[in-house]
Amino acid sequence: LGSMQVVASVDETTIRQVSAGQRASISFDAYPDQTFEGEVLSVPLYGTLQGGVTVYDVPLSLSGAEALDLLVGMTANAEIEVGYVSEALLVPTLALQKVSGSYQVTVPNTLDPEGEPETVPVQVGLSNGTYTQIVKGLIAGDQVIVQLDSTQSGGFFQSSNGGIFSNVFRLGGRR
């Protein structure tokens, strides 16, 4: 083989963020301690229906893995870098609430610590699904409240107050 490629299955909710030339980080289940570089070669115009979701087969170049005994069909894991921001202010994505097309977060009441929490409108940037960049509305050191019900906790929390969990996060980073 002259060159190796990995085909990444990208679902319809993410494909619009992918474009040719973006960097990718690739690993293989058969070689769990090694990570390789790649690049999106092209974005297909059509996908296929898999389990009720349209999926697009995106070819990625693969470099640095020439010495491995890779076989066709091995499981590869790819992360495509769709954006990059340094020194971003991040909040847990679960802290965001979308109301009438705009985002907001809940923060502790600054005037009355025992009072009802307040909502603050925010402008969001990039997100990796777990954390979301805040572009406007909060500054480093602000606190946000994340409330989870028992169906969202994934078994990581136990509650004796009806299944509502509340965590306060202090934000680090820069504005």
Side-chain angles (χ1 to χ4, degrees), residues 15-16 46 60 63 65-67 73 85 101 105 108 113-114 138 164:
I15 193 66
R16 59 192 155 97
Y46 62 91
L60 307 173
S63 59
E66 294 79 14
V85 176
V105 294
E114 301 298 320
L138 296 173
I164 300 296

Side-chain angles (χ1 to χ4, degrees), residues 76-128:
N77 305 293
E79 291 183 7
I80 299 171
E81 187 177 292
V82 297
Y84 178 82
V85 176
S86 63
E87 299 186 30
L89 182 63
L90 303 175
V91 299
T93 302
L94 289 173
L96 295 170
Q97 304 148 16
K98 193 168 188 177
V99 178
S100 301
S102 298
Y103 288 97
Q104 64 185 26
V105 294
T106 303
V107 299
N109 189 322
T110 55
L111 299 176
D112 180 9
E114 301 298 320
E116 286 293 314
E118 303 170 324
T119 58
V120 174
V122 293
Q123 182 180 346
V124 299
L126 296 176
S127 177
N128 67 1

Side-chain angles (χ1 to χ4, degrees), residues 20-77:
Q22 289 174 323
R23 294 180 346 151
S25 187
I26 302 166
S27 63
F28 295 90
D29 287 355
Y31 299 95
D33 297 330
Q34 297 180 19
T35 303
F36 305 94
E37 296 296 317
E39 183 177 296
V40 175
L41 297 174
S42 64
V43 178
L45 297 175
Y46 62 91
T48 57
L49 195 60
Q50 294 180 9
V53 177
T54 302
V55 176
Y56 296 82
D57 290 336
V58 177
L60 307 173
S61 66
L62 176 63
S63 59
E66 294 79 14
L68 298 181
D69 292 326
L70 296 174
L71 301 173
V72 173
M74 284 185 161
T75 301
N77 305 293

